[in-house]
Every structure is written in C-alpha cells, then in structure tokens.
Amino acid sequence: MTGAGAANERPSIAVCSRRFELQLKNTFRIARGASDTRTNLLIELEHDGLVGLGEAAPLERYRQDCASAAAAVETMVAELEDLDAYRTLVPTVAVQGQPAAQAALDMALWDLAAKRVGVPVWRLLGLDRGTIPQTSFTLGLEDDREVLIQRVREAAGFAALKVKLGGDDDRRALETVRSVTDVPLRVDANEGWSLAEAERNLEWLTDLGVELIEQPLPADDLEGHRQLKRISPIPLYADESVGVAADIPRLDDAFDGINIKLMKCGGPGEALNMISSARAHGLGVMLGCMVETSLAITAAAHISPLVDFTDLDGSLLIANDPFVGAELVDGRLVPPDLPGLGVELREVPAPRGDPEN
Ligand code: MG
C-alpha cells in the first residue's frame, strides 16, 4: 500500500503499511475476554532518504482494525504539511476515532524528526534515561492456582507485578500471587467491579499490600470513583476512563493518577500533553501499553523518564516480536542511544490475515 503527498507544496512522503500477526506466549485473559494472537499495523514513512517507523495496535473495543487504521494513516499522510512542526502535526490531520493510527503516524514523525538531527527521541526531549522507573509485568486472569504460581515465577525478574482482577475469585487469586512473591502488587479490575464490591475489596487489597488500583469501576462511573476515592487508602488510577489530555480536568477528584497509553491517546505528542496536564492537576502518571511490539513499546520508553510508573510489558508477551528496540536493564525498559526511536526490524514479517480486517 503506497501513497504520496499530492500537492506541490506538501512534503514528499511515501507511506507503506503492512500488518503482522503476533503470537502471544500465553493466552491472555482480562475481565472482558481472552486472546492468543493480535494483528498490528506497521507503517514506514519515507522522506528525504530517511524512514520513520510507526505501529498501530487497533482495538475492536474502540471500533478500529488494521484496515481502518491503514486507511486513516493514508488520509492523514496526504494532509501533512510542515514536517518541522512534528510536535503538533498529528492533531491537525487527525482522523477521529482512530487513535491507534494517529499513534502510528505520530511516533513515525518523532522517529523521522530525531533521525533528521541525528539524536535519540529521549535526547530531543532533553530527558535523562537514568530516571526511568522499573516496569511492572502483567499477569492475566488465571483460575488455575498452579498456572498462576508458574506465571509469578516466570516474572521473577520484575520489580512489580500488575495483576488483572475482575474474575470469579479475586481475593483467592491475589492471595495466591502474594504467597509466592514479595514485590509490590498493583491490580487492574478493567471496570470489573461495582462500587459495593470495590468497597468490600479494599480491606483485603490493603492487607495484601496493594499499592495501586487501576480502573475498578466502569469507565463512565466517575461518581462511583469519587466515592471510592474518598474512602480508599490505596491510590486509584484511571485507564478506560481517560483517553486524551482533555479528559483529565474532570477526573482529578475521582482518581489519584492516570494510565497513559499511546494507542488510546494518539501518540507520544499527546502523551506529553497528558503528562503536563496530569501534573498540573496533581495526578500521578503511569505509562502503559496494549499488546505492542518493541516498536511502539520503545516509543513509550523514550518518554518514560517523565512518569511515576511504567507498565510496558506488551512486547514481552509476544513470542515473535519483529523489532529490536528498548532493552530490559535491571527491570527498566531503556530506549537505545541511537538516532530516532532507535528501533530496527529483526526480520521481515510476512503479510498475514484477511485484507478486509
Ligand atoms: Mg488497564
């Protein structure tokens, strides 16, 4: 799939997009469903002899797929004008309802911009890799006690675990995890609790040393979250309740922090806006991810010196990660000291899947 800037005054950009099927190491279950493969979209923007790479992880929950994301990227690229304005470019051409496609385009533009000046994106932003927090590793919902214990043991190198809750017996699952590890535990109910359930759960969550609860109640239930926040000794973090920076002002009395994901907000540029807004509202910041390859994970890692918590394990869940980028060093995902995002293709992924999907 190729296209190019149409008008003479527009920069000459070739865009190529292709999809690749990702095999998950383990079937991953959360409160809403289970899966063992994902199909993500890779885009390559070529301009002036340089190539910027971007990735979209489209989510059906948000009515996106690879076809809609690829079409949105083509539409946006055709509208791009001044590549020097990369920090603010994507909002001017955004296709509404396609944040994953926006994220792919935005990270490709950051990759290109930093490659043009020959520095890594983290250096372009004036950041210090020494302040990157250690990432947590996420455990999906797991009913089988022995399998859950095995998953905890496999995650032994991580400084913190995020445990998906919202299953049949959350307390038993978390007690099982706690019985075999002393690391800080964060939990994510993925909207799976009612206010009454969440209130009841606070006692054992506190006893088990949980340091953070992510999205306990349905996304729209801000009033429920406000009530819960007033009595919870554990900080509440918004995930499904927050997408972009404009969502943040109405959340600051309902949550203690937000979980930013590039695929929700539309890329590193909007993520930086969100970090600024969250700080202005006194909120903590976690940087999370979907199931993403080392390409999108590395894009997030470049801005991670600015956040309090990282949950950037998406590429670690994939058996056939096509990219090499950020590396796990002492539990931190550290972006490369190479121009741009510093991500390289490990192997050429074969195009897969139904062209209509
Ligand atoms: Mg979450």
Side-chain angles (χ1 to χ4, degrees):
M1 198 180 303
T2 57
N8 287 336
E9 66 273 25
R10 298 196 194 282
S12 168
I13 308 165
V15 56
C16 168
S17 57
R18 53 185 153 157
R19 65 198 65 196
F20 43 97
E21 190 171 74
L22 307 171
Q23 298 292 333
L24 303 190
K25 289 177 182 168
N26 299 307
T27 299
F28 193 76
R29 257 200 334 127
I30 66 168
R32 280 189 298 273
S35 65
D36 51 20
T37 65
R38 295 290 168 87
T39 306
N40 287 4
L41 190 78
L42 159 69
I43 70 163
E44 294 166 287
L45 290 189
E46 193 180 340
H47 172 72
D48 220 5
L50 294 171
V51 176
L53 299 177
E55 175 180 358
L59 281 197
E60 277 176 33
R61 172 183 160 80
Y62 298 107
R63 289 187 293 280
Q64 308 159 55
D65 56 27
C66 279
S68 68
V73 167
E74 292 258 324
T75 301
M76 292 187 285
V77 168
E79 297 293 317
L80 290 176
E81 289 190 348
D82 178 6
L83 293 188
D84 290 332
Y86 63 93
R87 283 171 182 261
T88 53
L89 208 43
V90 168
T92 67
V93 296
V95 173
Q96 293 311 309
Q98 295 291 331
Q102 290 176 39
L105 179 60
D106 194 41
M107 74 181 78
L109 290 169
W110 280 89
D111 192 20
L112 263 182
K115 281 174 175 167
R116 288 166 74 192
V117 288
V119 300
V121 169
W122 58 265
R123 196 180 293 281
L124 193 68
L125 289 165
L127 301 179
D128 175 1
R129 292 185 298 174
T131 66
I132 292 173
Q134 290 179 307
T135 186
S136 56
F137 185 79
T138 300
L139 303 176
L141 283 178
E142 188 54 68
D143 296 328
D144 185 316
R145 180 183 158 84
E146 293 311 312
V147 175
L148 185 55
I149 288 173
Q150 180 61 28
R151 296 273 183 272
V152 177
R153 297 221 161 105
E154 288 165 3
F158 292 88
L161 293 176
K162 183 161 120 178
V163 184
K164 293 289 192 180
L165 296 181
D168 295 333
D169 193 342
D170 286 335
R171 180 175 184 168
R172 183 166 175 270
L174 202 68
E175 284 174 346
T176 300
V177 172
R178 183 46 93 207
S179 71
V180 285
T181 184
D182 292 329
V183 300
L185 299 178
R186 305 161 193 166
V187 300
D188 185 355
N190 285 109
E191 315 179 84
W193 294 336
S194 67
L195 177 59
E197 273 176 293
E199 287 174 344
R200 281 198 301 275
N201 293 345
L202 284 177
E203 187 175 344
W204 57 262
L205 290 167
T206 306
D207 288 345
L208 290 170
V210 168
E211 65 171 11
L212 183 160
I213 304 171
E214 189 173 314
Q215 199 68 46
L217 312 178
D220 294 341
D221 189 6
L222 290 189
E223 186 48 40
H225 283 105
R226 281 186 197 104
Q227 291 184 44
L228 190 62
K229 182 183 170 182
R230 283 197 283 272
I231 61 163
S232 178
I234 306 171
L236 308 182
Y237 269 58
D239 183 0
E240 287 86 344
S241 290
V242 65
V244 297
D247 298 329
I248 292 173
R250 68 191 168 87
L251 296 177
D252 69 353
D253 57 349
F255 292 95
D256 300 284
I258 59 166
N259 185 350
I260 296 174
K261 295 176 181 170
L262 300 184
M263 297 302 155
K264 285 193 302 182
C265 74
E270 182 63 10
L272 292 168
N273 294 339
M274 293 180 79
I275 293 168
S276 300
S277 178
R279 297 311 187 196
H281 287 274
L283 294 170
V285 179
M286 177 192 292
L287 192 54
C289 61
M290 307 296 186
V291 174
E292 299 163 13
T293 74
S294 281
L295 171 50
I297 293 296
T298 300
H302 278 274
I303 60 173
S304 67
L306 291 167
V307 307
D308 306 305
F309 302 99
T310 54
D311 182 36
L312 294 176
D313 62 351
S315 64
L316 306 171
L317 307 175
I318 299 171
N320 59 338
D321 185 351
F323 296 99
V324 180
E327 285 189 6
L328 203 54
V329 182
D330 296 333
R332 293 173 177 79
L333 263 177
V334 180
D337 191 3
L338 294 170
L341 296 174
V343 174
E344 285 162 7
L345 199 57
R346 193 191 303 268
E347 61 191 52
V348 178
R352 294 286 291 272
D354 177 347
E356 294 307 307
N357 186 34

